[in-house]
């Protein structure tokens, strides 16, 4: 507008509207509920397809005696776990009639199991008879995360084109339909198909609800809203462990987790769309109508908001660049941008692999696996609070290096020290705390080292690399079959490499966001000049 009229932006309107009025609080509650549910759907598979204890079925012995003392001479003992081996038994010398006496079994020769005896209960492993097929159990997590990977490709497009609440509605409905359907599957392949479809179509629940919640408030409240979403997610993961602790039927467990999604699927269509998204689409009248209704709910006179002067930077013609191809070609020709992109992608992948890997492997800690899992998750809450303080006080690079090194040291100590309830869990928790801090820092840092005109594209590339880490994480427990500490050794090595790579990146504390490729490159040149001058 160049006719001298007063122009105000949406952030100032939202500040005047008040971040904690009845309208905002009601919408926060309605949006934090799908955030809570998204934690069920992103992490629920950890206990849905959890490890199951089983042993070989010994024909002629099982079912004949009230005691199981015969197991000592029919099945070898796993010395590390102090229980019968899962996949092999001693060969029987008499193959016709088995009386189950010690002299009928060879203690020098073992054979693979052909059938299994499982623990009591209605577990996923037992029902699909996955004895000695551990890779099939681990594949559940990989298929789930593959679906989440696919969701990344479509969620943003749906949200940007059709609206935030539409994306939340589609994700919640898909989660309900395919989640409930999974609880009634009768074979393993159908189960995997339902898992992939549920994650692929419903995996956008968290980012869609998160974006809608953040767009409700102005600039000053976004950090608080982000922290609320992160903490709600953590609470949801703790609830998963509590539910799995008391519900031993995997089908009942799924039904309890996914049934609440129908509520979101119904009420989200009655919610207002994001005013910011409407403005970005040129639908100003609809945005103004929503803001007026919000003002009335907050007992505020809409006339005081000066909505007639409302504009939005996204609609200004001077920022609508038509030279996107030249900007992209300039970015791929920049060695600085390429190096930064590769390093940031590796940092993100490390965080994702270690973060999810530590969560998944926590169920194998000594003591109660449910308590161990909850402790590993709860340590994230103070980490989300601390990261806001340390990033501004000590800078991005120092924060990343210290946390990567801390995670590496604790992971390697956990791997090579004898297991003990006194220090093993403590080391594990410190490692999870550190990688949570690093993960939060990487997300912020990556948005600060790339130019505005290419930021979303380059961040999406890094995020995609991160998903590779989350795809691999569910498979890391399989490495424990070769050495019980191999997963944490890999985590430690990845963190050491990442801490070294951070040294090659510029510091961005107190630096304004670069708008162009040239300004982004200047960050590295400023670093070089400061080193030379010192």
């Amino acid at each position: 507008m160049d006719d001298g009229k007063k122009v105000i932006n949406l952030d100032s309107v939202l500040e005047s509207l008040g971040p904690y009025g009845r309208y905002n609080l009601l919408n926060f509650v309605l949006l934090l509920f799908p955030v809570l549910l998204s934690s069920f759907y992103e992490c629920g598979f950890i206990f849905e397809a959890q490890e199951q204890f089983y042993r070989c079925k010994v024909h002629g012995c099982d079912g004949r005696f009230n005691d199981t003392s015969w197991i000592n001479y029919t099945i070898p003992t796993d010395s590390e776990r102090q229980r019968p081996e899962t996949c092999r038994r001693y060969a029987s010398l008499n193959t016709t009639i088995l009386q189950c006496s010690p002299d009928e079994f060879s203690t020098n020769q073992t054979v693979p199991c052909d059938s299994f005896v499982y623990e009591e209960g209605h577990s996923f492993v037992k029902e699909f008879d996955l004895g000695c097929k551990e890779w099939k159990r681990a594949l559940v997590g990989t298929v789930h995360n593959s679906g989440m990977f696919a969701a990344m490709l479509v969620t943003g497009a749906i949200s940007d084109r059709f609206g935030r609440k539409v994306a939340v509605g589609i994700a919640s409905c898909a989660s309900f339909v395919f989640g409930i359907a999974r609880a009634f599957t009768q074979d393993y392949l159908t189960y995997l198909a339902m898992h992939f479809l549920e994650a692929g179509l419903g995996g956008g629940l968290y980012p869609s609800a998160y974006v809608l919640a953040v767009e409700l408030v102005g600039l000053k409240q976004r950090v608080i809203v982000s922290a609320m979403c992160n903490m709600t997610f953590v609470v949801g993961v703790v609830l998963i462990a509590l539910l799995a602790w008391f519900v031993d039927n995997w089908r009942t467990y799924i039904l309890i987790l996914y049934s609440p999604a129908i509520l979101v699927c119904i009420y989200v269509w009655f919610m207002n769309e994001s005013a910011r998204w409407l403005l970005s689409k040129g639908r100003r009248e609809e945005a103004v109508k929503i803001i007026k209704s919000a003002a009335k709910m907050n007992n505020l006179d809409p006339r005081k908001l000066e909505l007639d002067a409302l504009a939005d930077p996204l609609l200004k013609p001077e920022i609508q660049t038509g030279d996107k191809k030249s900007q992209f070609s300039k970015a791929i020709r920049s060695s600085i941008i390429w190096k930064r992109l590769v390093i940031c992608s590796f940092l993100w992948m490390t965080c994702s692999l270690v973060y999810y890997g530590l969560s998944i492997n926590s169920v194998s800690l000594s003591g109660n696996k449910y308590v161990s899992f909850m402790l590993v998750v709860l340590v994230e809450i103070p980490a989300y609070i601390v990261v806001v303080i340390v990033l501004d006080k000590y800078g991005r690079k120092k924060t990343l290096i210290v946390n990567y090194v801390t995670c590496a040291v604790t992971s390697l100590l956990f791997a090579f020290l004898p297991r003990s309830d006194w220090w093993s869990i403590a080391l594990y928790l410190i490692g999870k705390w550190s990688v949570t801090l690093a993960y939060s820092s990487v997300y912020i840092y990556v948005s600060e080292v790339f130019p505005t005109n290419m930021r979303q594209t380059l961040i999406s590339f890094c995020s995609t690399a991160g998903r590779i880490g989350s795809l691999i994480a569910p498979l890391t427990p399989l490495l424990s079959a070769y050495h019980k500490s191999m997963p944490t050794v890999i985590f430690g090595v990845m963190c050491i490499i990442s801490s070294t790579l951070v040294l090659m990146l510029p510091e961005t504390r107190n630096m304004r966001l670069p708008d162009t490729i040239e300004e982004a490159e200047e960050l590295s040149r400023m670093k070089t000049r400061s080193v030379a001058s010192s």
Side-chain angles (χ1 to χ4, degrees), residues 163-466:
R164 313 310 192 204
K165 78 171 188 178
V166 173
V168 173
I170 291 175
S172 58
C173 292
S175 296
F176 173 77
V177 171
F178 293 108
I180 297 298
R182 191 166 78 246
F184 294 98
T185 53
Q186 298 300 314
D187 63 271
Y188 177 75
L189 291 179
T190 304
Y191 170 87
L192 288 184
M194 292 299 102
H195 230 309
F196 180 83
L197 290 172
E198 180 265 312
L201 297 175
L205 186 58
Y206 177 87
S208 302
Y210 174 85
V211 169
L212 185 50
V214 168
E215 290 184 348
L216 279 172
V217 296
L219 179 62
K220 295 180 181 178
Q221 288 79 36
R222 288 177 193 167
V223 173
I224 297 175
V225 171
S226 179
M228 289 169 55
C229 290
N230 287 332
M231 292 181 189
T232 301
F233 190 93
V234 170
V235 170
V237 179
V238 172
L239 291 177
I240 291 173
L242 287 173
L243 178 64
W245 196 349
F246 293 103
V247 177
D248 66 348
N249 188 316
W250 70 278
R251 295 184 186 274
T252 304
Y253 170 82
I254 293 177
L255 290 173
I256 295 174
L257 288 184
Y258 283 87
S259 295
I262 190 63
L263 298 177
V264 183
C265 188
I266 293 172
Y267 73 66
V268 70
W269 306 108
F270 298 97
M271 295 179 64
N272 287 327
E273 184 55 85
S274 164
R276 188 177 299 276
W277 178 81
L278 290 170
L279 282 173
S280 72
K281 294 297 180 180
R283 296 159 63 176
R284 184 179 179 280
E285 291 77 11
E286 295 176 58
V288 169
K289 184 179 179 181
I290 288 173
I291 296 171
K292 284 182 178 179
S293 65
K296 291 179 182 179
M297 187 176 289
N298 288 352
N299 295 321
L300 181 68
D301 188 349
R303 290 173 294 184
K304 294 182 179 180
L305 298 178
E306 301 179 290
L307 295 179
D308 290 337
L310 178 63
D312 194 282
L314 292 172
L315 302 179
K316 292 182 178 180
E318 58 265 28
I319 71 164
Q320 303 297 326
T321 175
D323 196 22
K324 293 182 179 179
K325 289 185 178 180
S326 63
Q327 290 293 327
F328 182 76
S329 61
K330 188 186 296 183
I332 63 176
R333 289 198 306 267
S334 171
S335 60
I336 293 177
I337 298 297
W338 260 112
K339 182 182 76 172
R340 201 173 292 172
L341 181 63
V342 172
I343 293 176
C344 288
S345 296
F346 187 85
L347 298 183
W348 203 313
M349 182 171 63
T350 297
C351 286
S352 185
L353 172 64
V354 178
Y355 176 88
Y356 288 106
L358 288 176
S359 296
I360 293 169
N361 285 276
S362 66
V363 298
S364 64
L365 289 171
S366 55
N368 187 301
K369 63 182 177 181
Y370 302 104
V371 174
S372 298
F373 181 83
M374 285 187 282
L375 289 174
V376 169
V377 172
L378 285 172
V379 77
E380 294 181 32
I381 292 181
Y384 288 128
I385 299 173
V386 169
V387 72
V388 178
I389 302 172
V390 297
L391 279 179
D392 286 332
K393 186 173 183 179
Y394 300 106
R396 281 51 166 159
K397 289 183 65 174
K398 287 182 180 178
T399 301
L400 283 169
I401 292 172
V402 168
N403 282 291
Y404 276 129
V405 170
T406 302
C407 186
V409 171
T410 53
S411 296
L412 294 175
L413 287 175
F414 178 86
F416 296 111
L417 287 177
R419 296 291 172 89
S420 168
D421 288 343
W422 290 101
W423 60 70
S424 293
I425 293 180
L427 288 172
Y428 210 86
L429 292 178
I430 295 172
K432 183 63 182 297
W433 159 282
S434 300
V435 76
T436 301
L437 279 168
Y439 211 161
S440 300
S441 303
V442 164
Y443 198 95
I444 295 172
Y445 181 77
V446 169
S447 67
E448 295 176 335
V449 294
F450 293 126
T452 300
N453 50 16
M454 294 295 298
R455 184 171 294 129
Q456 190 60 53
T457 300
L458 298 178
I459 288 176
S460 297
F461 187 92
C462 295
S463 180
T464 302

Side-chain angles (χ1 to χ4, degrees), residues 460-498:
S460 297
F461 187 92
C462 295
S463 180
T464 302
R467 275 295 169 187
I468 296 174
S470 65
L471 287 174
I472 299 173
L475 300 177
T476 55
L478 296 177
L479 299 175
S480 300
Y482 302 97
H483 191 282
K484 65 179 181 180
S485 299
M486 190 173 290
T488 47
V489 170
I490 292 175
F491 300 157
V493 172
M494 292 282 286
C495 286
I496 291 174
I497 296 173
S498 295

